[in-house]
Amino acid sequence: MSDGKGDTRPERIGTARRDERGYALVALLAMMTIMALLLITAVPNYRRMAQRELEEEAILRGEQVAEAIRLYVREKRVLPTSIDQLLEGLPRGTKKMQI
């Protein structure tokens, strides 16, 4: 309101007009919806990537066991009957103990 001295500023400075009051809420809801959609698409990709890493690790371990068997057969001329036979002769701190 004007105070009669030529000041024509509205009484409430910085407040939204009546037809703009819900705009911030709608914008917030739209932003949250977009973020939710992005998360919905990202989570399966993350799970798939984690599963692939586990599978790659399993394949690597299997290849290590296969190589250990090949070396055992080359040296002993017989197949091992247990994992313990593959590990015979290795020092205790050897990484191959993870097999």
Side-chain angles (χ1 to χ4, degrees):
M1 282 195 169
S2 176
D3 60 0
K5 299 180 182 175
D7 189 8
T8 58
R9 291 185 296 169
E11 207 171 289
R12 295 181 185 177
I13 297 177
T15 60
R17 293 186 341 200
R18 177 170 233 149
D19 58 343
E20 295 177 356
R21 286 185 182 169
Y23 180 74
L25 181 60
V26 171
L28 179 64
L29 288 173
M31 181 71 115
M32 289 174 62
T33 302
I34 291 170
M35 290 177 65
L37 289 173
L38 289 173
L39 282 173
I40 287 171
T41 59
V43 169
N45 290 335
Y46 176 75
R47 286 183 181 167
R48 194 175 309 122
M49 184 176 63
Q51 181 63 32
R52 283 183 184 156
E53 288 179 13
L54 290 173
E55 290 169 358
E56 288 174 2
E57 178 70 21
I59 289 169
L60 177 66
R61 297 290 174 146
E63 289 171 347
Q64 290 174 342
V65 170
E67 181 63 20
I69 291 171
R70 276 192 287 276
L71 293 173
Y72 186 90
V73 169
R74 184 183 304 158
E75 183 179 320
K76 309 267 183 177
R77 304 278 186 215
V78 64
L79 286 173
T81 58
S82 69
I83 291 288
D84 294 329
Q85 284 183 337
L86 289 176
L87 299 175
E88 285 175 5
L90 288 177
R92 268 294 192 212
T94 305
K95 284 190 173 193
K96 289 196 178 199
M97 288 297 288
Q98 295 177 357
I99 296 174

